[in-house]
Amino acid sequence: MKILDKYLLKTFLVTFTTVFVILFFIFILQTVWLFISELAGKDLDLLLVVKFLLFSMPRIIPLVLPLSVLLASIMTFGNLAENYEFAAMKSSGISLQRAMRVLIIFIFVLSIVAFWFANNVIPYAEYKFVNFRKNIAQAKPAMAIAEGQFNDVGTYNIKVNKKSGENGNILTGVTIHEKATNVGENKTVIKAKDGELISNEKSSILKLVLNDGFYYQDVTPKKYEDRAKLPFIKAAFKKHIINIDLSELNKVDNSKESIAGTNAMLNVNELRYTLDSLSKNLDNEIVSFSENINQRVGIRKSIAPSEVEKAKKKKTLPNDLLTLYTNKQKSDVLKMAASNVTSNIYSIESTQKDLKDKQREINKHLTALYEKFVIAFACFLMFFIGAPLGAIIRKGGLGLPIVFAVLIFITFHFINTFGKRLSQEGGMTPFMGSWMSSFILLPLAVLLTYRATNDNGLINFDAITTPISQLIQKISERFSPAQNKQ
């Protein structure tokens, strides 16, 4: 490796590392702010908070890495151009492409690492992150219960006015809503003066002992006219014990994790396998519904030739079939037909909604698959935007480069987010939705690289002003002889 390559690589690595650490710290603070409700007021020790942040860090990489490459490229090449180091290189016969060669190799390696990270580390960290949140929120209810708000613990929503005791297990002012089987129908409410959480590490049962309270339960009468009276059951108690089964929620260690996987928790091979299963399931659902609806309306796939011959020999029916029935029978037939049409329309609309939900799930998995490749290409794209842009603007430091980097990255991130949301709803293919931001900014990278290679400015004002000045000159020349004659 030549001295110039070492110098450029060292300069870029120092800048890139500094920028990456700063941006990473900023995005970590954003993560803390987003999940502050899960961390604050839960009496979590420092180790749990550190684990929470460690599991959430990898998901930040797809945002921080391209932005770091873009800003580091602008700053590095902007400093070289501002200090006339590029001028010295060019006077020695070293072109911009030659100066970028070693950094292109580094960005290529970085892109491979980014793809490996997105394919292996991020899914594992996402899996651990979701399970760890379950651990905090459900497997350790004493920590999950924050004062002054409802907390989801097992099949109950629990609110306490104050916690006390060494482990926060003494509760004062307890209000409990028991979850019903139907969403939105919490018909059982328990209020108690105080209570105590009793748990055992060897048992999956959490015991909640309540003292001096009331038990309320709404009753739904069988007769519809009695429902307007809103009857309910009320009972007072001195002591009431609630056992909460946490056997399914306590499985949070490496060998017993039971949280269902999402598209963010899968690597490329797992996504392809899942997509194949989801696609086959959707196709089978469509075929099954088609056969079902055809049977309901009396349409068969094929008719045997013998049946066709039998149909020809039968007596032909009149054009108006209703003339064969009496008025009462006509009314019954029309009512039955209307009922069948309404039922079929409802079935079609309901199935259409289910099919759209399944297609949306497929689109989400396809988007997650393409995103693993987009992050690798984004590093290349941001480098070929930032490096020539820095050489053109000839400004280093943290001033103008940050402005350009933020504007370009916000554009990239907005288009990427918009494309993914649109593709998930079926507005475009998941491939186009994931790659739209890269396709839109790719011409900008080509244009900037071309202009920087040919020593052109960011905007060629001469190309705009010269035609205007020539037009003004022609107009003045045309009217000047007439003015001289006058």
Side-chain angles (χ1 to χ4, degrees):
M1 183 181 290
K2 296 184 178 181
I3 297 176
L4 176 63
D5 293 333
K6 291 182 180 180
Y7 174 72
L8 290 173
L9 184 60
K10 179 182 177 182
T11 304
F12 182 83
L13 284 176
V14 171
T15 307
F16 173 77
T17 305
T18 305
V19 170
F20 183 85
V21 171
I22 294 173
L23 293 176
F24 195 81
F25 178 74
I26 292 173
F27 279 92
I28 281 293
L29 292 180
Q30 182 194 23
T31 302
V32 174
W33 178 257
L34 289 175
F35 296 100
I36 191 67
S37 61
E38 298 186 22
L39 299 175
K42 301 291 181 69
D43 298 330
L44 301 177
D45 55 31
L46 181 61
L47 181 60
L48 291 177
V49 175
V50 171
K51 283 185 177 181
F52 186 92
L53 295 178
L54 285 176
F55 293 146
S56 64
M57 282 179 182
R59 61 165 57 190
I60 303 173
I61 298 298
L63 288 175
V64 177
L65 191 59
L67 181 56
S68 301
V69 172
L70 176 63
L71 186 54
S73 302
I74 298 176
M75 292 175 63
T76 300
F77 285 82
N79 278 324
L80 293 174
E82 186 178 14
N83 296 327
Y84 299 101
E85 292 177 276
F86 264 138
M89 292 180 195
K90 291 178 181 179
S91 64
S92 303
I94 300 175
S95 63
L96 178 64
Q97 295 94 324
R98 172 62 184 83
M100 294 170 59
R101 187 174 66 183
V102 65
L103 296 181
I104 291 174
I105 297 173
F106 170 74
I107 295 298
F108 178 75
V109 175
L110 183 65
S111 300
I112 295 176
V113 174
F115 173 78
W116 175 85
F117 194 88
N119 189 46
N120 296 280
V121 179
I122 292 179
Y124 176 76
E126 189 71 18
Y127 185 68
K128 299 290 291 185
F129 180 69
V130 172
N131 281 277
F132 189 73
R133 287 176 62 191
K134 288 287 184 180
N135 189 2
I136 294 176
Q138 294 176 321
K140 297 183 178 181
M143 293 184 178
I145 298 177
E147 297 178 353
Q149 66 185 45
F150 280 99
N151 304 269
D152 189 2
V153 181
T155 57
Y156 298 91
N157 286 320
I158 302 175
K159 177 184 176 182
V160 298
N161 295 333
K162 186 179 179 182
K163 292 195 308 180
S164 58
E166 183 178 355
N167 298 319
N169 60 329
I170 305 299
L171 312 178
T172 305
V174 183
T175 303
I176 300 175
H177 288 175
E178 184 177 356
K179 297 178 185 177
T181 54
N182 296 327
V183 179
E185 295 185 2
N186 294 328
K187 296 184 177 182
T188 303
V189 180
I190 303 173
K191 296 181 69 69
K193 183 178 179 181
D194 54 60
E196 181 181 3
L197 284 171
I198 302 175
S199 60
N200 189 346
E201 294 181 358
K202 298 181 179 179
S203 175
S204 61
I205 301 298
L206 173 72
K207 183 181 293 186
L208 176 58
V209 181
L210 302 176
N211 302 315
D212 298 329
F214 295 91
Y215 178 94
Y216 306 89
Q217 184 177 18
D218 293 336
V219 178
T220 304
K222 295 182 179 179
K223 294 183 179 180
Y224 185 80
E225 56 271 15
D226 294 337
R227 296 182 182 181
K229 300 177 182 179
L230 301 177
F232 67 93
I233 297 173
K234 178 182 178 181
F237 58 83
K238 286 292 182 181
K239 185 176 182 181
H240 181 65
I241 299 177
I242 297 177
N243 293 319
I244 304 174
D245 186 7
L246 298 176
S247 58
E248 295 299 322
L249 304 177
N250 264 326
K251 298 178 182 180
V252 293
D253 57 335
N254 292 337
S255 60
K256 298 182 180 180
E257 289 167 337
S258 61
I259 307 302
T262 64
N263 49 49
M265 301 178 188
L266 306 177
N267 58 31
V268 171
N269 294 329
E270 292 169 343
L271 282 170
R272 288 175 175 170
Y273 178 81
T274 305
L275 282 168
D276 183 64
S277 300
L278 292 175
S279 299
K280 289 181 178 178
N281 185 24
L282 179 62
D283 294 339
N284 293 334
E285 190 79 16
I286 294 173
V287 172
S288 175
F289 175 74
S290 300
E291 294 176 351
N292 183 35
I293 201 70
N294 288 340
Q295 290 177 358
R296 293 178 64 175
V297 299
I299 300 175
R300 288 183 290 178
K301 286 184 178 181
S302 60
I303 301 176
S306 58
E307 294 183 3
V308 175
E309 293 297 329
K310 290 180 181 179
K312 289 180 179 180
K313 294 179 181 179
K314 288 182 179 180
K315 184 179 179 181
T316 58
L317 297 173
N319 293 329
D320 189 1
L321 294 177
L322 292 178
T323 57
L324 301 176
Y325 301 98
T326 63
N327 290 334
K328 184 178 183 306
Q329 289 174 335
K330 289 179 183 180
S331 176
D332 293 339
V333 168
L334 292 175
K335 287 181 181 178
M336 184 180 298
S339 176
N340 289 336
V341 169
T342 303
S343 176
N344 289 334
I345 291 175
Y346 176 78
S347 177
I348 291 172
E349 291 177 349
S350 177
T351 305
Q352 186 179 23
K353 183 179 180 301
D354 293 339
L355 294 178
K356 284 184 178 179
D357 291 339
K358 291 183 178 181
Q359 185 61 52
R360 188 181 294 112
E361 192 67 22
I362 292 175
N363 292 342
K364 288 180 179 179
H365 282 75
L366 283 171
T367 302
L369 176 64
Y370 295 135
E371 278 295 305
K372 299 183 186 303
F373 298 92
V374 169
I375 182 177
F377 182 77
C379 296
F380 256 109
L381 181 64
M382 293 302 166
F383 175 76
F384 279 100
I385 291 176
L389 183 60
I392 291 173
I393 64 176
R394 295 183 175 90
K395 289 290 183 182
L398 296 174
L400 192 60
I402 287 184
V403 176
F404 279 105
V406 169
L407 290 176
I408 294 171
F409 185 76
I410 287 177
T411 303
F412 175 83
H413 185 62
F414 173 78
I415 297 173
N416 190 34
T417 304
F418 175 77
K420 288 193 295 184
R421 294 290 175 86
L422 193 62
S423 64
Q424 289 174 5
E425 298 300 325
M428 64 173 60
T429 62
F431 178 82
M432 285 301 302
S434 301
W435 287 94
M436 184 168 63
S437 56
S438 300
F439 290 157
I440 291 177
L441 291 183
L442 183 60
L444 177 62
V446 175
L447 176 63
L448 290 175
T449 304
Y450 174 78
R451 297 189 69 83
T453 304
N454 293 281
D455 293 329
N456 294 329
L458 183 61
I459 299 176
N460 190 358
F461 290 101
D462 292 338
I464 301 175
T465 58
T466 300
I468 297 175
S469 62
Q470 290 176 353
L471 179 62
I472 295 173
Q473 184 178 359
K474 288 181 180 179
I475 295 174
S476 62
E477 289 176 353
R478 178 174 295 181
F479 288 99
S480 58
Q483 292 177 355
N484 293 333
K485 290 178 180 180
Q486 291 177 358

